Amino acid sequence: MTLEEFLIWEIQQSERHEFIGGRAAAVEIVTQQQSLLSADIISALRPLMRGTSFRLLSGVRVVVSPVGEVWYPAVVIDSGPFNPDALEPARPILAVDVCRTRVVPAHIPLAYLMVDNEGDIATARHLVSLLIREESRED
């Protein structure tokens, strides 16, 4: 299955799927711990987004074109134009997974962070501050 075929196929499914290594895989069920950490991450990062053009998203798929994959990270920061009907962020700059590690190629234009405890949220805040500062300079 190609990435394009997957994107068409997935829209027709009742469950979400990621596309990794050329294969569709059902998105894992989220535990209460993962849900709480995701909520804490969103709460910690939301103030950093205020007054900027960046958006904090959750539950959206990210098409990682350079590697032909589709992910459903817990949290995504989008720096592209807003489209209320879009299924993916326009220009994701950060994907955050909770209690899940991925193999992330170094050449993708997307920062990646895995959070597995409350202490990692400070790291996420710091990384987001740096990314927003960097992205703002490019505009």
Side-chain angles (χ1 to χ4, degrees):
M1 178 182 302
T2 67
L3 176 61
E4 292 77 22
E5 291 169 336
F6 170 81
L7 293 171
I8 293 166
W9 173 84
E10 195 214 8
I11 288 176
Q12 302 167 3
Q13 305 308 304
S14 59
E15 299 171 348
R16 297 184 308 173
H17 292 78
E18 291 190 324
F19 188 65
I20 309 290
R23 295 187 164 188
V27 174
E28 298 171 2
I29 295 173
V30 175
T31 66
Q32 284 191 23
Q33 177 65 18
Q34 289 169 307
S35 181
L36 286 172
L37 278 170
S38 293
D40 288 347
I41 291 165
I42 291 168
S43 295
L45 299 182
R46 186 85 173 135
L48 298 173
M49 304 295 118
R50 288 196 182 96
T52 73
S53 60
F54 301 95
R55 283 175 312 289
L56 187 59
L57 307 172
S58 67
V60 297
R61 71 182 182 189
V62 175
V63 178
V64 188
S65 297
V67 291
E69 294 186 349
V70 174
W71 302 346
Y72 278 95
V75 177
V76 177
I77 301 217
D78 188 15
S79 67
F82 177 66
N83 176 350
D85 298 321
L87 300 176
E88 299 99 17
R91 188 168 171 255
I93 61 169
L94 173 67
V96 180
D97 273 323
V98 173
C99 302
R100 178 179 181 198
T101 304
R102 294 182 191 275
V103 175
V104 180
H107 68 281
I108 66 169
L110 175 66
Y112 175 78
L113 182 64
M114 193 279 289
V115 173
D116 65 359
N117 63 59
E118 289 290 328
D120 290 341
I121 294 174
T123 301
R125 282 184 57 85
H126 179 70
L127 179 57
V128 167
S129 294
L130 294 174
L131 287 170
I132 289 173
R133 203 172 307 136
E134 182 69 25
E135 288 286 319
S136 296
R137 274 187 247 163
E138 291 178 10
D139 291 339

